[in-house]
Amino acid sequence: KLPASSTLLVAGLKGKKEQKARTKTYSKITVTDKPDTLFQKVVVLVKAHDRAVLDSYEFFATMAAKELGITMGKVFEPPKDIERLTLLKSVHIYKKHRVQYEMRTHYRSIELLHVTGCTAQVYLEYIQRNLPEGVAMEVTKTTMEKIPDHILEPMWKDHPIDDKSSK
Amino acid sequence: MASFGSKVFLSLGRTNVSGVGFRKTGNRATYATALTVNSSTNKARGGKGSTGRRPKRGPGEPRTEKMALDQDWTSVYPAATPFRANAIPLPLRMGYPVKRGIPPEKKGNLELIKIPNFLHLTPAAIRKHCEALKPFCTEWPSALDTDTKCDEHFPVKIQSTDYVSAGPSIRNPSARVVHMKVRLSCLNLDDHAQKKMLKLVGDRYCKDSDILTITTESCPLRQQNYDHAMYLLTVLYHESWKIEPWEAEKTRADMEEYSWEDSTSQKNILDTLLRINLAGEGEEAEVREQLLGREEVLEYKDSVETLKNEEPSERNMLRYKEAVRKVLKV
């Protein structure tokens, strides 16, 4: 129904209509009736080889959570892991001369409490898109659910005969 | 006059050539072509300059000098980009200093380029991004403030992990593991069903926190593992309500808790009391019932039950000692 933006440009009119066309394609917020998942806890564990990078990332993540209105639990630094290797220095013989390497992994844990499914999706996608190079992340989500309907009452009450079929 | 002279020279040249042979003509031809080539290149380079190439433009002043103090930094660094020394107006120095020197400057510094920078995520930028993301977020229901309320209305907890890392593949096989935690008190179980459930479940139940944990990782996808966990919970529930005919053969050794009624301890204490003749006169059965009703005997029963069911401690032992003393009137 709206004229194509190209024709408007040709005509030289940059009016409301073009902006309307832009905003229509930009924000596609669809509202569904499906109930949102509820996360009691979302724990984000970030791993990197550099502590300074994790400091900056923690500042970014905590500020983003505050701006989006997500309640934060503990933000702490688990102790680092160092993996050491001792290898032979030379290609052939010289067993007494070795070289040692180590790989340090620093961690940072951010806990979010009482997050809805939509908010968690938005926040996690934002966080993960801005994950710096060389940093890995593990996200542990704890979903809350009601007891399913088929567990509320045992089925043997209505059918006292022993049925071998489960559910 | 000059033209006549040149004609003469030309003719001379021609005669000379005819006199000598083919080589000179060849030479003349090459000489002529060489001349023409030279003149053409000279004509092309004439505009630029005959001596060497045109000089290159210098780098000029860095962009930092032209930056205003109140500029919009989010437009200078809108996305993650490597460090550009002439676009960042900060006097940075990074690297290990030379002897009796200072760390190297930012111009051409590889250390600053290597490390990931967060210049595109300044507080102003984060605020802008969050403003744009706000419409997509939903609010947490205000009725579920505390954890206890959440546990009351939503007792089943599903825990799963997602992994993000750089590598040859984005998949992680540990992402399919699902842990399901339920409080047994929230399920509709009667006495027999609860005992049977505990026997069926075994190690997966934690007595202190009353939480049953079902971990599924046998299916390849997380959704499948979740369905499997739900199926296991349903089966456990329905099976624990069933009463099989062979369950009637349950012996004292199969019981979960120690009960004092009809135990050897009861028989022993009653026999001992009868022998000491502490009981009154009368028929045996009546006397036994009377004894059971006595206070000291009940206290003895309590102490024995706590000793057997709970962990043996100093307090329980002392209580048993006191109870025995009272019963035997020592």
Side-chain angles (χ1 to χ4, degrees):
Chain A
K1 282 175 189 176
L2 285 166
S5 53
S6 55
T7 52
L8 275 173
L9 281 168
V10 162
L13 294 164
K14 271 191 185 173
K16 283 185 200 167
K17 280 190 179 170
E18 200 207 15
Q19 277 175 3
K20 260 194 203 166
R22 257 198 218 147
T23 48
K24 249 202 173 178
T25 51
Y26 194 59
S27 56
K28 272 188 183 172
I29 304 172
T30 46
V31 182
T32 49
D33 285 328
K34 189 180 155 191
D36 213 356
T37 43
L38 299 167
F39 293 114
Q40 197 171 25
K41 222 194 317 181
V42 176
V43 179
V44 176
L45 178 75
V46 219
K47 307 194 273 194
H49 291 299
D50 214 331
R51 209 166 158 248
V53 170
L54 284 179
D55 285 335
S56 308
Y57 191 74
E58 180 199 317
F59 172 80
F60 156 66
T62 45
M63 190 168 173
K66 249 187 276 179
E67 292 289 317
L68 288 173
I70 303 172
T71 43
M72 282 211 296
K74 311 182 279 184
V75 178
F76 67 104
E77 188 186 352
K80 63 178 188 277
D81 281 335
I82 307 180
E83 196 187 315
R84 293 194 174 104
L85 305 167
T86 312
L87 306 169
L88 297 170
K89 203 188 238 185
S90 163
V91 162
H92 183 59
I93 49 169
Y94 302 119
K95 188 67 174 254
K96 281 193 237 174
H97 303 89
R98 313 259 182 140
V99 78
Q100 289 186 316
Y101 296 106
E102 66 177 24
M103 285 181 284
R104 295 188 178 187
T105 312
H106 300 265
Y107 301 97
R108 216 44 84 93
S109 174
I110 301 165
E111 198 181 281
L112 310 167
L113 304 167
H114 296 324
V115 201
T116 53
C118 296
T119 316
Q121 206 178 11
V122 163
Y123 178 74
L124 287 172
E125 189 172 336
Y126 180 51
I127 292 277
Q128 284 163 8
R129 274 185 195 270
N130 290 311
L131 202 65
E133 42 278 352
V135 176
M137 190 202 277
E138 278 175 21
V139 180
T140 312
K141 299 183 204 162
T142 311
T143 332
M144 307 195 306
E145 273 180 30
K146 296 203 174 212
I147 301 180
D149 291 330
H150 44 266
I151 303 185
L152 287 172
E153 287 288 326
M155 58 192 247
W156 319 121
K157 271 191 179 175
D158 299 328
H159 312 278
I161 309 162
D162 258 1
D163 286 315
K164 282 300 170 187
S165 60
S166 51
K167 274 198 185 173
Chain B
M1 281 291 152
S3 60
F4 180 75
S6 61
K7 272 182 191 170
V8 166
F9 275 113
L10 277 167
S11 59
L12 270 171
R14 273 188 214 130
T15 47
N16 274 342
V17 159
S18 59
V20 175
F22 280 107
R23 267 188 201 173
K24 277 215 172 167
T25 47
N27 277 343
R28 213 217 311 173
T30 52
Y31 182 64
T33 49
L35 252 181
T36 48
V37 162
N38 271 336
S39 60
S40 65
T41 47
N42 262 333
K43 274 180 195 165
R45 284 181 185 169
K48 292 182 187 177
S50 50
T51 53
R53 278 184 275 162
R54 190 173 72 160
K56 260 192 191 173
R57 262 194 330 193
E61 62 166 18
R63 202 174 130 192
T64 51
E65 322 260 311
K66 300 176 210 162
M67 282 182 177
L69 278 169
D70 54 351
Q71 69 171 340
D72 183 24
W73 184 255
T74 52
S75 49
V76 179
Y77 256 84
T81 20
F83 185 89
R84 271 177 258 133
N86 62 353
I88 291 159
L90 295 167
L92 290 168
R93 288 186 171 270
M94 181 140 158
Y96 195 77
V98 205
K99 261 190 188 174
R100 303 176 79 227
I102 45 172
E105 55 173 15
K106 64 177 180 173
K107 191 176 164 189
N109 195 332
L110 192 63
E111 293 294 319
L112 281 167
I113 300 173
K114 281 194 299 195
I115 197 80
N117 64 54
F118 284 78
L119 292 160
H120 58 289
L121 293 172
T122 48
I126 301 173
R127 264 181 229 121
K128 266 195 192 175
H129 298 154
C130 290
E131 279 300 313
L133 290 172
K134 270 268 185 185
F136 295 93
C137 300
T138 48
E139 262 189 37
W140 181 261
S142 47
L144 298 166
D145 294 334
T146 55
D147 268 339
T148 40
K149 277 191 202 168
C150 296
D151 288 339
E152 196 192 307
H153 296 286
F154 298 90
V156 180
K157 313 270 191 267
I158 314 280
Q159 194 181 322
S160 57
T161 318
D162 293 311
Y163 299 86
V164 179
S165 66
S169 151
I170 55 166
R171 315 280 169 199
N172 192 315
S174 329
R176 61 172 211 272
V177 175
V178 170
H179 302 274
M180 193 177 73
K181 299 195 181 183
V182 195
R183 275 180 183 273
L184 277 188
S185 47
C186 303
L187 295 175
N188 182 16
L189 292 166
D190 72 346
D191 201 36
H192 160 263
Q194 182 141 13
K195 288 186 180 164
K196 188 164 175 187
M197 172 79 97
L198 293 178
K199 279 206 193 273
L200 282 171
V201 143
D203 255 347
R204 295 178 187 86
Y205 176 73
C206 172
K207 243 189 191 176
D208 301 325
S209 57
D210 189 33
I211 292 179
L212 163 68
T213 312
I214 297 177
T215 309
T216 37
E217 52 181 359
S218 44
C219 305
L221 295 180
R222 190 189 293 164
Q223 183 60 36
Q224 292 172 345
N225 276 318
Y226 167 74
D227 291 335
H228 183 48
M230 277 299 173
Y231 164 74
L232 284 175
L233 181 66
T234 319
V235 164
L236 279 169
Y237 180 77
H238 290 296
E239 285 296 311
S240 61
W241 271 97
K242 254 201 230 178
I243 301 175
E244 303 277 349
W246 46 260
E247 281 181 38
E249 296 162 23
K250 195 176 181 186
T251 57
R252 260 195 105 76
D254 296 323
M255 297 286 178
E256 293 84 10
E257 272 187 352
Y258 177 81
S259 64
W260 193 75
E261 290 90 36
D262 295 329
S263 72
T264 46
S265 171
Q266 186 190 16
K267 266 186 259 167
N268 287 341
I269 193 74
L270 290 174
D271 288 335
T272 326
L273 284 172
L274 281 170
R275 283 206 180 171
I276 306 173
N277 288 329
L278 281 171
E281 301 287 327
E283 276 193 32
E284 256 203 68
E286 279 177 21
V287 162
R288 278 181 195 269
E289 274 177 43
Q290 231 182 25
L291 277 172
L292 279 171
R294 272 202 205 167
E295 239 188 74
E296 303 104 16
V297 177
L298 285 171
E299 215 184 288
Y300 177 74
K301 167 196 166 188
D302 283 332
S303 64
V304 168
E305 277 189 344
T306 44
L307 258 183
K308 293 264 180 174
N309 289 333
E310 291 167 31
E311 281 170 28
S313 70
E314 277 263 2
R315 222 183 59 168
N316 291 343
M317 288 303 287
L318 284 170
R319 204 175 143 197
Y320 176 72
K321 179 176 114 180
E322 290 299 322
V324 165
R325 267 195 185 167
K326 278 189 194 167
V327 161
L328 299 174
K329 299 207 173 134
V330 170

